[in-house]
Amino acid sequence: MLWKTADEIESEKLAKGIHDRVMEMVKRREKNVSVGESDNFGNDFLGLLINAYRDSDEKNRFSVEDLVDECKTFYFAGQETTNSLLAWTVLVLAIHTEWQEKTRREVFEAFGDRNPNSEGISKLKVMNMVINETLRLYSPVSAVIRKVGKDAQLGRLVLPANMEVMIPIMALHHDPQSWGDDVHLFKPERFAQGIASATKYNSAAFIPFSMGPRSCVGMSFATTETKIALSMILQRYAFTLSPAYVHAPFPIITLQPQHGIQVMLHPL
């Protein structure tokens, strides 16, 4: 007889709970359309997924698993990666206060005391440099795994179909051959001329959200959320690192500060 561990039982329970919650939302929208309360499933992300789930073309139709997995992925991108990125960005700005001041000046030039808006967010060049350098040093996901679809030649290696390959994002981002001897230093100016110039046009050197057709669907969403939150923090506070902080990056799905990040806030 095979026995499931307590962790396996808890994992299955959580997976079922997530599945049931997503399907409750789907059925609620389907019901609204069927009784005439709405003429579509919504023009948001979930509405687009339901349209794919009910597509008349079987080749394009999403399965229930596809629908639920996409919802989980988007929630993950919107929560875990943003939390991780924002935490590490606050850390580096608390340490490098000169870059904090540069970023704050840019925020006030773009928004003044007003809440951030989409037009201004797109103009935050210094913040973009800071975020990219933070993503390089503290990428939310330290590695990704990909399955080989068919036999492939990689240099002198032959990768058989169905083999799983781990891509160590953190190692690529800390490779001196790509980034130089100062690879471990926080230097946002690397990205002053954009990502292509910073990586010397090696697209695989900087992949915080993976790359290619399997890159993270929530990439723009997560970075925009981070820019909005960081802008609102910088408008209200200056911050420095607390002496209580202990540096211990720890990968739990995303890269987290094991003991939290303690900063001292100074209202502006």
Side-chain angles (χ1 to χ4, degrees):
M1 179 181 291
L2 294 176
W3 293 91
K4 292 183 179 179
T5 66
D7 285 346
E8 288 174 324
I9 294 171
E10 181 66 14
S11 176
E12 290 179 2
K13 181 181 176 181
L14 290 171
K16 183 179 185 303
I18 294 171
H19 180 279
D20 291 346
R21 296 295 85 74
V22 171
M23 293 312 297
E24 280 178 15
M25 292 188 290
V26 171
K27 291 183 185 304
R28 190 156 54 242
R29 294 205 183 187
E30 288 178 329
K31 181 180 177 181
N32 289 343
V33 171
S34 66
V35 300
E37 291 184 10
S38 177
D39 58 2
N40 60 61
F41 300 116
N43 56 6
D44 57 6
F45 184 68
L46 180 59
L48 294 174
L49 291 177
I50 297 174
N51 281 323
Y53 171 57
R54 296 175 62 91
D55 197 306
S56 58
D57 186 344
E58 190 173 342
K59 292 181 180 178
N60 297 325
R61 188 183 307 151
F62 268 28
S63 67
V64 173
E65 290 74 20
D66 290 334
L67 190 154
V68 173
D69 285 348
E70 288 293 336
C71 286
K72 288 193 290 187
T73 298
F74 206 77
Y75 179 81
F76 175 72
Q79 293 290 119
E80 286 293 323
T81 53
T82 303
N83 290 346
S84 173
L85 174 54
L86 184 59
W88 294 117
T89 305
V90 167
L91 171 70
V92 295
L93 290 181
I95 296 171
H96 303 276
T97 52
E98 73 281 9
W99 280 100
Q100 184 183 147
E101 287 305 316
K102 289 179 184 179
T103 311
R104 180 178 290 106
R105 282 198 299 270
E106 182 180 62
V107 167
F108 275 114
E109 287 172 5
F111 308 119
D113 293 327
R114 304 183 309 276
N115 285 337
N117 55 62
S118 58
E119 182 181 354
I121 286 291
S122 63
K123 297 177 181 178
L124 298 178
K125 180 179 179 181
V126 174
M127 185 180 290
N128 214 46
M129 292 159 55
V130 167
I131 287 176
N132 280 336
E133 181 69 343
T134 305
L135 284 168
R136 186 187 70 80
L137 288 171
Y138 302 103
S139 182
V141 179
S142 57
V144 292
I145 295 175
R146 294 290 182 262
K147 181 180 286 188
V148 180
K150 59 182 179 180
D151 291 358
Q153 184 87 26
L154 182 64
R156 288 181 290 181
L157 299 176
V158 176
L159 306 182
N162 299 316
M163 178 182 184
E164 290 189 343
V165 178
M166 187 183 78
I167 302 166
I169 294 175
M170 192 66 73
L172 293 172
H173 288 184
H174 290 76
D175 183 0
Q177 291 187 345
S178 297
W179 300 98
D181 293 336
D182 59 357
V183 65
H184 298 303
L185 300 181
F186 176 74
K187 297 182 68 174
E189 59 267 32
R190 300 177 202 273
F191 293 93
Q193 303 304 318
I195 292 173
S197 177
T199 59
K200 302 179 181 63
Y201 300 92
N202 177 4
S203 60
F206 183 67
I207 52 171
F209 295 97
S210 191
M211 65 183 294
R214 296 290 182 178
S215 62
C216 177
V217 68
M219 175 174 62
S220 296
F221 182 74
T223 52
T224 300
E225 261 196 326
T226 300
K227 289 177 184 178
I228 292 170
L230 188 59
S231 293
M232 297 178 76
I233 293 170
L234 290 169
Q235 286 173 320
R236 292 162 174 80
Y237 300 100
F239 45 91
T240 52
L241 193 64
S242 168
Y245 174 71
V246 177
H247 193 60
F250 190 65
I252 311 176
I253 304 180
T254 56
L255 188 69
Q256 302 288 339
Q258 186 173 3
H259 308 294
I261 291 178
Q262 294 79 37
V263 296
M264 296 182 289
L265 296 176
H266 311 282
L268 297 177

